[in-house]
Each structure stands twice: as structure tokens, then as C-alpha cells.
Amino acid sequence: MTYFAITRFKTLSKTLFRVFSREHLDAIAAFVCAVLVLLGWIALQLGWLGLGLLLLPAAYVIGGYESAKEGLTTLWQEKELDVDLLMIVAALGAAGLGVWRREYYLIVDGAVLILIFAISGALEGYAMQRTERDIRSLMSLSSDTARVLDRGQEKLVDVERLQVGDRILVKPGELIPTDGIIQEGYSTLNEAAITGESLPVEKTVGHEVFAGTLNGNGALILQVHQPPESSLIQRIIQLVKQAQTEAPPSQMFIERFERGYAKVIVLAGILLAILPPFIWGWSWETTIYRALIFLVVASPCALMAAIMPTLLSGIANGARQGILFKSGAQLEMMGKVRAIAFDKTGTLTTGKLAVTEVIPTAGHSIDEVLQIAAALEAYSEHPIGQAIVTAAQQKQIEFVPAVGVYSHPGQGIIGEIYSQQVLVGKADFLIQNSKFKIQNLELTNNSPVRAHSSAPLPTPDSSVRASLADSLTIPSSDFWSKPAPTTPELSQHLEAEGKTVIWVARESEIIGIVAVADTLRPKAVEVIKRLKQLGIEETIVLTGDNQRTADRIAQSVGIDRVHAELLPEDKVKVIRQLQSQYQTVAMVGDGINDAPALAQASVGIAMGVTGSDVALETADLVLMADRLEKLVVAIHLGRRSQRIIKQNITFALSFIVLLLIANFTGNMNMPIGVIGHEGSTVIVTLSGLRLLRNW
């Protein structure tokens, strides 16, 4: 027992040491270098020259190994000079000058340069680890195994070996191993890892669940409906990896600038090491020392750190909030957007039909109309029927049995309730199958007034309006405040608002109408308002729907311009026109027909939950939470990133100029130059991490 305990302890210790050394290798090297520099300086102070000349070179090797390796690799493979190599050359130059003049404190100066450069590298490494922590956490969301049910037996199978059609069991508190459809069970799932939304979501039979989400208290049996590698979490991980590795245009420009800049610095350093004795009468020792300091302070380390830490912080922040930027370039571009085009269905609206009004005729009630309509529509799979059934369930109306139900596609549905014929459908359908005239009927507010051909329709009172608003998720429209029209006029009014009117009849009597429509997203109005406050110059609706419906939606949310009845290629043309006017244009959509416009736009933005696979793959940015208000957060992140990058570049260039002036007009030594140079790099890197904070 003791032997195994000791063996396990040794194994665990080795593992922990390996992990610790891998994550903190730069810090360990910097610490050892610092100790050697301190001991070497003490040895020189005490006159122990041999010991000092032994310790200080060791400090050079340990502290400067990684930089020398990277610099030489770049020089050998890419035939380019970089900052790491310049630092090593400057340090070795200082050491060589010290040995030549026997001024051994210059060796210490070179060692301090190596030390501070090593400390700076370690600090930057820790800063970038913090930047990437939120992104790397996605990797741990993928379960390695799944409980597969095979002939009633449960067995663990590697996720990558799952096949489409497999049934898997997910117990309470476990991660969902792969995307699937619930076959049995009910539970609440925490989908924060996918959508950024912390509130649990109820899931039951028929609902899709996503890999990486956390199951609640219920056991679920899922059926795998797509290969595990196609799961949403795996696609997110791949896209985020791609975003980390792809350099945005600004970073690529800085990198190209660095290559040319390094060559200029080397050439200038050589000239500064040769000309001053002939021009200003400097001694050769002073000239070479100043030239070496010039190599240090003129190196563009801070400039190189001005962009990527900021963009990676923004990507990490967005991922934490359910906003997936596919590259740093798109985060940059979001900060420049001046106009935004929206698809209508599924973007500004929910894409799901819902009951918006229930208007009973005289002597009947809202509950009665919904009860009878839902009794028949419960047998229908049509979205309109499902909307009516949902409305009845929201009001907790008891369902009554219907028999002999027969559907007439595109027209309506017929059945019997308590031996009475019931019809639900379009007006023409009811007229063809009944013996009454629609135009002689009127709607009421549950008052005892009977319908007749000449009396005006009484305006429903506040109790009816309150009943509708309280019982349904969508409040009734503003037609209540207008003079009460006759029934056909009311139907036309609702249809003019883009709604579908369903008539409900029992025997030869109309008992009411139900209006159904696609509903606005809850915060669509607020989003458009906040976008305008952020300075977005124009908002546009691009839709294939009819002009009347599009105008109603645009007016409801405050959209500036409407383009309706568009084919996919027409949307692309409109985007191009907008780009000629505003340069940087974003497009928000969710469907296959939006994919060409998403690809054409400067930034294509897809809705993550409702969006089609084509839209998600084409878009540059995905709102995983399917919440339109996250668009405002994305734009704010883009603008903050632009602001921070500009601040960083300005600070980096200003500090380089300041150090150069101090080098040639003052009496700055090597350690002070190094501290100023590396200090500015650390400040710029930490400045970029500000984007990790939410606003």
C-alpha cells in the first residue's frame, strides 16, 4: 500500500512539475537569470572577477536563449531581422564593449537588458494567457464519451465513434456529449457556453440540444441526428481557433512595417556607430555604447503589441457573451460600420407565428373562440394551427374533443364538437361550406348586443383589451382606438397590417376571428434606437416579403429605409449600393437566401439559433444567443478595439521618439533604456487587456 502511494505521489509530482514548468517556463528562466545577474554583480563588486565572468554569461544564456532562438530562426528561415535578434545583438555588443575596455559594468548592463527582456516576455505571456483563457475554456466543454443505449443496455462510447441514429442517455448534471434530438424526458439546460445566456432553457421531446450544454435535473434520451464533428460546439471551437491564428489587416501591416523598420534600425545603428567620432568628435567607446542603446530603444516591441492583444481580448470578451467573431479583422471592421441592413423574418421578427388578436362576435367570449379553434387545430401541423394551439395553452383553456377532423390544405379545417359542425379557416372557405353571409356579422366586446346588418360595431372596452394583453404574449394592435369597422373592414384592416385572419364558425354562426402574425423580437425597437445613438447613419430592411408588411415592420421598429419583394441577388445589389455610399456596411440575416448578401457585406452577421447552416458558415460574426441586442455589444466592442489600438500605437511611437531623444541629448545608460523600452511594451499589452472587461 505504501509503495503504491509513494509511486502515485511521484507520478503526480512529476505531472504537476511538468505542467507548472510548461506554463511558467518563461517566468522560471527570468527568475534564474535575475539571480545570476545579482550574484554576478555582487562578485564584480567584491573583486571576484573570475566568478563574475562565469555567472554573467550563464545569465545571458538562460535569459536570452528563447529570444536568440526565435531571432535566429526568423533570420534563417524568413531571411528577416526581428526585434528579438536586435536585443541579443545589443546585449552582446555591450558585453563585448565591456571586455574590450575592461569596464565590466557594461557586461552587467547587457545582462540587465537580457533580464528585463525576459521579464517582459514572461509578463506578456501571462497577459496573453488571460486573454485566451475564455477561448480555451470552450475546449473543455466537449465530453469525451457518451452513454449509448443498445438493446436496453448502457455502454460508454467515445464521442467521435457515435453514428447518426444512435440513442444516448444523458443523466442529470452531465454535459450533453453531442448535438441531438430529445426522444424521451424533460429537463432544463444551461446553454450559456453556446449562447452566452445564463438562464436555463426548458427542453422536452422533439427539441434539439447542443453539445457542451449542461443538463439540469432530468434524465434525457437523445437521438444523434448529425455527425459529432458537425456539432455546434465543434464548429465554434474551429472558428475561434481560426480567429486566433488569422492576422487582421492592421496587424499584417504592422508586421510588414516591422520587417522594413528593423532593417532601417540596423542600418542607422551601423551609421551611428561609425559617423559620430568624425562629425561630433565622440570617442569610439561612447559612440558604440550609444549605438547599442539606440538598437534597444528604437526596436518596435510596443508597436508590435499594440494590436493583437487588443483584438484577442475583444474576441474572448465576445465569446463569453455569445458573440462569435470569426477573425480579428471582423472585430476591427465592426468598429467602422456606418450602415446596417436587416433581413426581416427571423431577424427583426422571431420567425414564428403567434396569435395577436382574438375578436369574438356578440354573445361569445375570447376563451370560447380559442377553445373551439384550438380543438380542430390540434390535429393540424400547419404553423398557423400551432400558433392557435399555443395561444390556448397560454390561457390555460381546457381542450374539448373534436371528431371527424378533415383538413383542406391552404383553406381551412372542418370537424365536429359535441355533434356540431365547426369550421376554422379563410372567409371564402367558410362561405363555401356554410349558409351564412360574412358581411352581415359583427364583432363585439362580449356585450349582449346582437349582430344585425345596419348597427355599427361597438369598440371593445378596456376589459377586453386588458384580457388580450394579459393572456397573450403579444399585445393587441392599435386598431382598438379607431372607429369600430364592420367585420369585413376589420378583417381588411388586420390583413393590411400583414396579419393572417382566421374565421371560426360553429354550425351557421360566426363566433369570432383570430389574427395571426410573425411577431417582432422583444427588443428590436430598443436595438434600433441604441444603434442610432451609437452613430449608425442608416438602418435598412431587406426582405422578400411584400411591401405592405415590410413597411409595417420597419415603421414599428424605427427602420429608416425598406427594400421589399427582393430575390437573393437583389439583396446583393442593394448591399453594393449601400457600400458605395457608406463604405462599411453590415448585414444581419438568418436564412439561406441571406447568404449571398452576408458574403457581400463588409461584415456579415448571422443569428446563431435560428440561422441556417449556410448563413452561419457565410457570416463573419455569429450572435450565438440569438438575441438581437447583442449586435449593439458587438459594435461597441469593435469601436472600443479601434479606440484602444489607436491609443496604443500613439503611445508606442511617442515613447520610442522620447527614448531616442533622451539617448542622444542626455546621459541615458543601457538599463534605463531597456526599462523604458520594455516598460512601454508591457503597458501597451496591458492596455489591450482592457477589452476583456464588459461595458
Side-chain angles (χ1 to χ4, degrees):
M1 183 71 176
T2 305
Y3 171 76
F4 285 112
I6 293 174
T7 303
R8 185 164 184 174
F9 175 77
K10 288 182 177 179
T11 303
L12 181 61
S13 300
K14 290 179 180 178
T15 302
L16 290 175
F17 177 77
R18 188 164 54 249
V19 171
F20 178 83
S21 60
R22 183 172 62 248
E23 293 184 355
H24 305 283
L25 184 61
D26 290 342
I28 293 171
F31 175 76
V32 174
C33 179
V35 172
L36 292 174
V37 171
L38 177 61
L39 294 177
W41 175 78
I42 293 174
L44 292 180
Q45 292 296 108
L46 296 175
W48 300 343
L49 182 60
L51 181 59
L53 293 180
L54 179 65
L55 294 172
L56 290 173
Y60 275 67
V61 173
I62 293 173
Y65 173 78
E66 284 297 325
S67 295
K69 180 182 175 182
E70 291 179 14
L72 291 173
T73 300
T74 303
L75 180 64
W76 179 260
Q77 295 181 352
E78 303 179 21
K79 304 298 187 291
E80 297 287 350
L81 294 170
D82 72 355
V83 174
D84 296 289
L85 192 57
L86 292 181
M87 293 297 102
I88 298 301
V89 169
L92 293 177
L97 186 62
V99 172
W100 177 32
R101 296 183 57 181
R102 296 189 179 182
E103 295 178 357
Y104 299 112
Y105 70 88
L106 293 177
I107 304 178
V108 178
D109 285 355
V112 170
L113 166 58
I114 294 290
L115 171 60
I116 296 178
F117 199 66
I119 293 173
S120 174
L123 290 176
E124 289 178 39
Y126 283 130
M128 296 311 296
Q129 285 178 22
R130 182 185 170 191
T131 304
E132 297 168 1
R133 190 177 300 132
D134 288 307
I135 297 176
R136 290 202 315 270
S137 65
L138 288 172
M139 314 304 175
S140 63
L141 296 176
S142 301
S143 179
D144 295 328
T145 58
R147 304 176 189 273
V148 176
L149 298 177
D150 185 15
R151 300 175 185 177
Q153 299 295 317
E154 175 187 322
K155 60 180 181 180
L156 286 178
V157 175
D158 291 340
V159 169
E160 59 266 21
R161 295 177 57 191
L162 291 175
Q163 302 291 325
V164 174
D166 283 349
R167 285 164 53 86
I168 59 179
L169 171 66
V170 182
K171 295 183 178 181
E174 291 184 340
L175 284 174
I176 304 295
T178 188
D179 291 5
I181 305 296
I182 298 178
Q183 298 293 304
E184 299 178 26
Y186 164 84
S187 186
T188 57
L189 272 69
N190 184 338
E191 297 186 335
I194 301 294
T195 66
E197 178 58 58
S198 59
L199 294 177
V201 180
E202 295 182 353
K203 298 280 186 175
T204 187
V205 175
H207 287 168
E208 183 178 12
V209 296
F210 304 109
T213 57
L214 185 63
N215 189 21
N217 296 323
L220 299 174
I221 295 179
L222 315 177
Q223 185 174 47
V224 180
H225 68 299
Q226 62 180 359
E229 62 270 16
S230 300
S231 68
L232 187 58
I233 188 67
Q234 291 299 327
R235 282 185 287 167
I236 292 174
I237 291 171
Q238 293 305 316
L239 290 171
V240 171
K241 284 182 178 178
Q242 179 181 338
Q244 285 183 285
T245 56
E246 285 188 357
S250 59
Q251 181 66 19
M252 293 174 67
F253 169 78
I254 290 293
E255 289 176 359
R256 289 194 301 269
F257 171 79
E258 183 216 6
R259 296 188 186 102
Y261 182 82
K263 295 175 183 176
V264 171
I265 291 301
V266 171
L267 179 60
I270 293 173
L271 293 176
L272 288 172
I274 296 173
L275 298 180
F278 302 102
I279 298 175
W280 297 302
W282 289 8
S283 66
W284 284 106
E285 293 83 355
T286 301
T287 300
I288 294 173
Y289 190 60
R290 292 295 169 198
L292 293 174
I293 296 176
F294 169 80
L295 288 179
V296 173
V297 300
S299 297
C301 292
L303 190 61
M304 293 298 298
I307 296 176
M308 283 311 294
T310 302
L311 295 181
L312 288 176
S313 297
I315 291 171
N317 191 334
R320 192 169 61 234
Q321 299 190 66
I323 305 168
L324 178 60
F325 292 97
K326 293 187 179 179
S327 72
Q330 303 311 325
L331 176 58
E332 275 191 310
M333 197 64 70
M334 280 302 293
K336 303 175 183 177
V337 168
R338 297 173 56 195
I340 302 180
F342 296 87
D343 174 48
K344 180 182 72 68
T345 306
T347 302
L348 291 174
T349 66
T350 61
K352 298 179 181 178
L353 294 177
V355 173
T356 58
E357 282 88 27
V358 180
I359 317 298
T361 57
H364 300 283
S365 67
I366 293 172
D367 286 1
E368 183 183 7
V369 174
L370 273 179
Q371 184 182 52
I372 292 175
L376 266 63
E377 295 292 2
Y379 293 89
S380 171
E381 295 182 356
H382 195 280
I384 291 178
Q386 294 175 359
I388 292 174
V389 171
T390 299
Q393 291 172 338
Q394 289 175 346
K395 285 208 68 183
Q396 298 181 343
I397 294 174
E398 182 181 356
F399 278 60
V400 294
V403 297
V405 179
Y406 184 79
S407 175
H408 294 256
Q411 296 296 317
I413 190 168
I414 296 177
E416 288 188 5
I417 298 177
Y418 299 133
S419 300
Q420 293 181 311
Q421 186 185 52
V422 175
L423 299 90
V424 179
K426 295 180 179 179
D428 292 343
F429 173 72
L430 267 66
I431 291 173
Q432 292 170 6
N433 292 276
S434 299
K435 300 183 181 300
F436 55 81
K437 294 182 179 181
I438 297 292
Q439 61 267 26
N440 291 333
L441 296 170
E442 298 172 357
L443 305 182
T444 185
N445 61 345
N446 295 329
S447 67
V449 177
R450 290 291 175 182
H452 54 82
S453 59
S454 59
L457 174 68
T459 302
D461 61 21
S462 59
S463 63
V464 175
R465 280 177 274 180
S467 176
L468 281 173
D470 291 341
S471 62
L472 301 175
T473 57
I474 306 299
S476 57
S477 69
D478 61 356
F479 78 84
W480 297 111
S481 60
K482 301 174 182 178
T486 62
T487 302
E489 291 173 346
L490 176 58
S491 176
Q492 292 172 6
H493 176 88
L494 293 171
E495 289 174 348
E497 292 184 339
K499 300 172 184 177
T500 300
V501 176
I502 304 299
W503 296 75
V504 183
R506 182 170 52 196
E507 292 295 332
S508 297
E509 180 187 14
I510 293 289
I511 65 173
I513 62 175
V514 179
V516 178
D518 189 5
T519 54
L520 284 177
R521 288 187 178 272
K523 295 194 176 181
V525 176
E526 180 185 346
V527 167
I528 301 302
K529 180 180 178 181
R530 292 180 66 185
L531 288 175
K532 292 180 178 179
Q533 291 173 347
L534 281 173
I536 298 299
E537 298 177 34
E538 188 170 25
T539 52
I540 307 97
V541 168
L542 305 182
T543 180
D545 209 341
N546 65 75
Q547 188 73 46
R548 184 176 60 187
T549 302
D551 287 338
R552 178 180 67 86
I553 293 293
Q555 185 178 9
S556 300
V557 299
I559 294 285
D560 299 318
R561 201 197 316 175
V562 176
H563 293 271
E565 301 177 13
L566 300 178
L567 296 173
E569 57 266 31
D570 298 326
K571 293 184 179 182
V572 173
K573 291 177 183 177
V574 175
I575 292 293
R576 287 174 180 163
Q577 293 171 1
L578 291 170
Q579 286 174 323
S580 65
Q581 182 179 358
Y582 294 107
Q583 287 76 52
T584 308
V585 177
M587 168 71 189
V588 189
D590 73 316
I592 294 176
N593 61 335
D594 296 322
L598 291 173
Q600 175 63 38
S602 309
V603 184
I605 303 168
M607 307 299 289
V609 176
T610 61
S612 68
D613 287 343
V614 175
L616 293 177
E617 293 299 327
T618 306
D620 305 302
L621 187 158
V622 181
L623 304 180
M624 298 308 303
D626 210 26
R627 290 169 54 189
L628 196 59
E629 60 267 30
K630 293 295 184 180
L631 177 60
V632 178
V633 179
I635 290 178
H636 192 76
L637 278 174
R639 294 194 173 174
R640 283 182 65 197
S641 72
Q642 289 295 295
R643 189 164 58 248
I644 291 173
I645 287 172
K646 289 177 182 177
Q647 292 171 355
N648 287 349
I649 291 175
T650 301
F651 176 82
L653 292 175
S654 300
F655 218 80
I656 289 174
V657 172
L658 181 63
L659 290 173
L660 289 174
I661 293 173
N663 182 36
F664 289 101
T665 61
N667 192 25
M668 185 171 65
N669 58 24
M670 179 77 76
I672 296 299
V674 172
I675 291 172
H677 174 265
E678 296 304 319
S680 65
T681 303
V682 172
I683 290 173
V684 165
T685 302
L686 295 177
S687 173
L689 298 187
R690 288 184 289 158
L691 208 55
L692 285 172
R693 296 200 311 266
N694 294 338
W695 62 292

Coordinates of all heavy atoms in Angstrom, one line a residue, residues 181-232:
I181 N -31.6 15.2 -30.8 CA -33.0 15.5 -30.7 C -33.5 14.7 -29.5 O -33.2 13.5 -29.4 CB -33.8 15.2 -31.9 CG1 -33.2 15.9 -33.1 CG2 -35.3 15.5 -31.7 CD1 -33.3 17.4 -33.1
I182 N -34.2 15.3 -28.6 CA -34.7 14.6 -27.4 C -35.8 13.6 -27.8 O -36.8 14.0 -28.5 CB -35.3 15.6 -26.4 CG1 -34.2 16.5 -25.8 CG2 -35.9 14.9 -25.2 CD1 -34.6 17.6 -24.8
Q183 N -35.7 12.4 -27.5 CA -36.7 11.3 -27.7 C -37.5 11.1 -26.5 O -38.7 10.8 -26.7 CB -35.9 10.0 -28.1 CG -35.1 10.1 -29.4 CD -36.0 10.4 -30.6 OE1 -36.9 9.6 -30.9 NE2 -35.7 11.4 -31.4
E184 N -36.9 11.2 -25.3 CA -37.7 10.9 -24.1 C -37.1 11.9 -23.0 O -35.9 12.1 -23.0 CB -37.6 9.5 -23.6 CG -38.1 8.5 -24.6 CD -37.9 7.0 -24.0 OE1 -37.8 6.9 -22.8 OE2 -37.8 6.1 -24.9
G185 N -38.0 12.3 -22.1 CA -37.5 13.1 -21.0 C -37.8 14.6 -21.1 O -38.2 15.1 -22.1
Y186 N -37.6 15.2 -19.9 CA -37.8 16.7 -19.8 C -36.8 17.2 -18.8 O -36.5 16.6 -17.8 CB -39.2 17.0 -19.3 CG -39.3 18.4 -18.8 CD1 -39.6 19.5 -19.7 CD2 -39.2 18.7 -17.4 CE1 -39.7 20.8 -19.2 CE2 -39.3 20.0 -17.0 CZ -39.5 21.0 -17.9 OH -39.6 22.3 -17.4
S187 N -36.2 18.3 -19.2 CA -35.2 18.9 -18.3 C -35.0 20.4 -18.6 O -35.5 20.9 -19.6 CB -33.8 18.2 -18.4 OG -32.9 18.6 -17.4
T188 N -34.2 21.1 -17.8 CA -33.8 22.4 -18.1 C -32.3 22.4 -18.3 O -31.5 21.7 -17.6 CB -34.1 23.4 -16.9 OG1 -33.4 22.9 -15.7 CG2 -35.5 23.5 -16.7
L189 N -31.8 23.1 -19.4 CA -30.4 23.0 -19.8 C -29.8 24.4 -19.6 O -30.4 25.4 -20.0 CB -30.3 22.5 -21.2 CG -30.2 21.0 -21.4 CD1 -31.5 20.4 -21.1 CD2 -29.8 20.7 -22.9
N190 N -28.6 24.4 -19.2 CA -27.8 25.7 -19.1 C -27.0 25.7 -20.5 O -26.1 25.0 -20.7 CB -26.8 25.6 -17.9 CG -26.1 26.9 -17.8 OD1 -25.9 27.7 -18.7 ND2 -25.6 27.2 -16.6
E191 N -27.4 26.7 -21.3 CA -26.8 26.8 -22.6 C -25.8 28.0 -22.7 O -25.5 28.5 -23.8 CB -27.9 27.0 -23.7 CG -28.8 25.8 -23.8 CD -29.8 25.9 -25.0 OE1 -30.1 27.0 -25.4 OE2 -30.2 24.8 -25.5
A192 N -25.4 28.5 -21.5 CA -24.5 29.7 -21.5 C -23.3 29.5 -22.3 O -22.8 30.4 -23.0 CB -24.1 30.0 -20.1
A193 N -22.7 28.3 -22.4 CA -21.5 28.0 -23.2 C -21.7 28.3 -24.7 O -20.8 28.6 -25.4 CB -21.0 26.6 -22.9
I194 N -22.9 28.1 -25.1 CA -23.2 28.2 -26.5 C -23.8 29.6 -26.9 O -23.4 30.3 -27.8 CB -24.2 27.1 -27.0 CG1 -23.7 25.7 -26.7 CG2 -24.6 27.3 -28.5 CD1 -22.5 25.4 -27.5
T195 N -24.8 30.0 -26.0 CA -25.5 31.2 -26.4 C -25.1 32.5 -25.6 O -25.4 33.6 -25.9 CB -27.0 31.0 -26.1 OG1 -27.2 30.8 -24.7 CG2 -27.5 29.8 -26.9
G196 N -24.3 32.2 -24.5 CA -24.0 33.3 -23.6 C -25.1 33.7 -22.7 O -25.0 34.6 -21.8
E197 N -26.3 33.0 -22.8 CA -27.4 33.3 -21.9 C -27.4 32.4 -20.7 O -27.4 31.2 -20.8 CB -28.7 33.1 -22.8 CG -30.0 33.3 -22.0 CD -30.1 34.7 -21.4 OE1 -30.0 35.7 -22.2 OE2 -30.2 34.8 -20.1
S198 N -27.4 33.0 -19.5 CA -27.2 32.2 -18.3 C -28.5 31.6 -17.8 O -28.5 30.6 -17.0 CB -26.7 33.1 -17.2 OG -27.5 34.2 -17.0
L199 N -29.7 32.1 -18.2 CA -30.9 31.5 -17.7 C -31.1 30.1 -18.3 O -31.0 29.9 -19.5 CB -32.1 32.4 -18.1 CG -32.1 33.8 -17.5 CD1 -33.3 34.6 -18.0 CD2 -32.2 33.6 -15.9
P200 N -31.5 29.1 -17.5 CA -31.8 27.8 -18.0 C -32.9 27.8 -19.0 O -33.9 28.6 -19.0 CB -32.2 27.0 -16.8 CG -31.6 27.8 -15.6 CD -31.7 29.2 -16.1
V201 N -32.9 26.8 -20.0 CA -33.9 26.7 -21.0 C -34.6 25.4 -20.9 O -33.9 24.3 -20.8 CB -33.2 26.8 -22.4 CG1 -34.3 26.7 -23.5 CG2 -32.5 28.1 -22.6
E202 N -35.9 25.4 -20.9 CA -36.7 24.1 -20.8 C -36.6 23.4 -22.1 O -36.8 23.9 -23.2 CB -38.1 24.4 -20.4 CG -38.3 25.0 -19.0 CD -39.7 25.3 -18.7 OE1 -40.6 25.1 -19.6 OE2 -40.0 25.6 -17.5
K203 N -36.4 22.1 -22.0 CA -36.3 21.2 -23.2 C -37.1 19.9 -23.0 O -37.0 19.4 -21.9 CB -34.8 20.8 -23.5 CG -33.9 22.0 -23.8 CD -34.1 22.5 -25.3 CE -33.1 23.6 -25.6 NZ -33.1 24.0 -27.0
T204 N -37.8 19.5 -24.0 CA -38.6 18.3 -23.9 C -38.6 17.6 -25.2 O -37.8 17.9 -26.1 CB -40.0 18.5 -23.4 OG1 -40.7 17.3 -23.1 CG2 -40.8 19.4 -24.4
V205 N -39.4 16.6 -25.4 CA -39.4 15.7 -26.6 C -39.5 16.6 -27.9 O -40.4 17.4 -27.9 CB -40.5 14.7 -26.5 CG1 -40.6 13.9 -27.8 CG2 -40.3 13.8 -25.3
G206 N -38.6 16.3 -28.8 CA -38.7 17.0 -30.1 C -37.7 18.2 -30.2 O -37.4 18.7 -31.3
H207 N -37.2 18.7 -29.0 CA -36.3 19.8 -29.0 C -34.9 19.4 -29.3 O -34.5 18.3 -29.0 CB -36.4 20.5 -27.6 CG -37.6 21.3 -27.4 ND1 -38.0 21.8 -26.2 CD2 -38.6 21.6 -28.2 CE1 -39.1 22.4 -26.3 NE2 -39.5 22.3 -27.5
E208 N -34.2 20.3 -30.0 CA -32.8 20.0 -30.2 C -31.9 20.5 -29.1 O -32.2 21.5 -28.5 CB -32.3 20.7 -31.5 CG -30.9 20.4 -31.9 CD -30.5 21.0 -33.2 OE1 -31.2 21.9 -33.7 OE2 -29.4 20.7 -33.8
V209 N -30.9 19.7 -28.7 CA -30.0 20.1 -27.7 C -28.6 20.1 -28.3 O -28.3 19.4 -29.3 CB -30.0 19.2 -26.4 CG1 -31.4 19.2 -25.8 CG2 -29.7 17.7 -26.8
F210 N -27.7 20.9 -27.7 CA -26.3 21.1 -28.2 C -25.2 20.5 -27.3 O -25.3 20.6 -26.1 CB -26.1 22.6 -28.5 CG -27.2 23.2 -29.4 CD1 -28.1 24.1 -28.8 CD2 -27.2 22.9 -30.7 CE1 -29.1 24.7 -29.6 CE2 -28.2 23.5 -31.5 CZ -29.1 24.4 -31.0
A211 N -24.2 20.0 -28.0 CA -23.0 19.5 -27.2 C -22.4 20.7 -26.4 O -22.4 21.8 -26.9 CB -22.0 19.0 -28.2
G212 N -22.0 20.4 -25.2 CA -21.3 21.4 -24.4 C -22.3 22.1 -23.5 O -21.9 22.8 -22.6
T213 N -23.6 21.9 -23.6 CA -24.6 22.5 -22.7 C -24.8 21.5 -21.5 O -24.5 20.3 -21.6 CB -25.9 22.7 -23.4 OG1 -26.4 21.5 -23.9 CG2 -25.8 23.7 -24.5
L214 N -25.2 22.1 -20.4 CA -25.2 21.3 -19.1 C -26.6 20.9 -18.8 O -27.5 21.8 -18.7 CB -24.6 22.1 -18.0 CG -24.5 21.5 -16.6 CD1 -23.5 20.3 -16.7 CD2 -24.0 22.5 -15.6
N215 N -26.9 19.6 -18.6 CA -28.2 19.1 -18.3 C -28.6 19.4 -16.9 O -27.7 19.5 -16.0 CB -28.2 17.6 -18.5 CG -29.6 17.0 -18.4 OD1 -30.6 17.8 -18.5 ND2 -29.7 15.7 -18.1
G216 N -29.8 19.7 -16.6 CA -30.3 20.0 -15.3 C -30.7 18.8 -14.5 O -29.9 17.8 -14.4
N217 N -31.9 18.7 -14.0 CA -32.3 17.7 -13.0 C -33.0 16.5 -13.7 O -33.3 15.5 -13.0 CB -33.3 18.3 -12.0 CG -32.6 19.3 -11.1 OD1 -31.4 19.2 -10.8 ND2 -33.3 20.3 -10.7
G218 N -33.3 16.6 -15.0 CA -34.0 15.5 -15.6 C -33.1 14.6 -16.5 O -32.1 15.1 -17.1
A219 N -33.4 13.3 -16.6 CA -32.6 12.4 -17.5 C -33.2 12.6 -18.9 O -34.4 12.7 -19.1 CB -32.7 11.0 -17.0
L220 N -32.4 12.5 -19.9 CA -32.8 12.7 -21.3 C -32.3 11.6 -22.1 O -31.2 11.1 -21.9 CB -32.3 14.0 -21.9 CG -32.7 15.3 -21.2 CD1 -32.0 16.5 -21.8 CD2 -34.2 15.5 -21.3
I221 N -33.1 11.1 -23.1 CA -32.6 10.2 -24.1 C -32.6 10.9 -25.4 O -33.7 11.5 -25.8 CB -33.5 8.9 -24.2 CG1 -33.4 8.1 -22.8 CG2 -33.1 8.1 -25.3 CD1 -34.3 6.9 -22.8
L222 N -31.5 11.0 -26.0 CA -31.3 11.8 -27.3 C -31.1 10.8 -28.4 O -30.5 9.7 -28.3 CB -30.1 12.7 -27.2 CG -30.0 13.6 -25.9 CD1 -28.7 14.4 -26.0 CD2 -31.2 14.5 -25.7
Q223 N -31.4 11.3 -29.6 CA -31.1 10.6 -30.8 C -30.1 11.5 -31.6 O -30.4 12.7 -31.9 CB -32.3 10.3 -31.7 CG -31.9 9.5 -32.9 CD -33.2 9.0 -33.7 OE1 -34.1 9.8 -34.0 NE2 -33.3 7.8 -34.0
V224 N -28.9 10.9 -32.0 CA -27.9 11.7 -32.7 C -28.4 11.9 -34.2 O -28.8 10.9 -34.9 CB -26.6 10.9 -32.8 CG1 -25.5 11.7 -33.6 CG2 -26.1 10.6 -31.4
H225 N -28.5 13.1 -34.6 CA -29.1 13.5 -35.9 C -28.0 14.0 -36.9 O -28.3 14.3 -38.0 CB -30.2 14.4 -35.8 CG -29.8 15.8 -35.3 ND1 -29.2 16.0 -34.1 CD2 -30.0 17.0 -35.9 CE1 -29.0 17.3 -34.0 NE2 -29.4 17.9 -35.1
Q226 N -26.8 14.2 -36.4 CA -25.7 14.6 -37.3 C -24.4 14.1 -36.7 O -24.3 13.9 -35.5 CB -25.7 16.1 -37.4 CG -25.4 16.9 -36.2 CD -25.5 18.4 -36.4 OE1 -25.7 18.9 -37.5 NE2 -25.3 19.2 -35.3
P227 N -23.3 14.0 -37.5 CA -22.0 13.5 -37.0 C -21.5 14.4 -35.9 O -21.7 15.6 -36.0 CB -21.1 13.6 -38.3 CG -22.1 13.5 -39.4 CD -23.3 14.2 -39.0
P228 N -20.8 13.8 -34.9 CA -20.3 14.6 -33.8 C -19.4 15.8 -34.2 O -19.4 16.8 -33.6 CB -19.6 13.6 -32.9 CG -20.2 12.3 -33.3 CD -20.6 12.4 -34.7
E229 N -18.6 15.6 -35.3 CA -17.7 16.7 -35.7 C -18.5 17.8 -36.3 O -17.9 18.9 -36.5 CB -16.7 16.1 -36.7 CG -17.3 15.6 -38.0 CD -17.6 14.1 -37.9 OE1 -17.7 13.6 -36.8 OE2 -17.8 13.5 -39.0
S230 N -19.8 17.6 -36.6 CA -20.6 18.7 -37.1 C -21.3 19.5 -36.1 O -22.1 20.4 -36.4 CB -21.6 18.2 -38.2 OG -20.9 17.6 -39.3
S231 N -21.2 19.1 -34.8 CA -21.9 19.7 -33.7 C -21.6 21.2 -33.6 O -20.5 21.6 -34.0 CB -21.6 19.0 -32.4 OG -20.3 19.3 -32.0
L232 N -22.5 21.9 -33.0 CA -22.3 23.4 -33.0 C -21.1 23.8 -32.2 O -20.3 24.7 -32.6 CB -23.6 24.0 -32.3 CG -23.7 25.5 -32.3 CD1 -23.6 26.1 -33.7 CD2 -25.0 25.9 -31.6

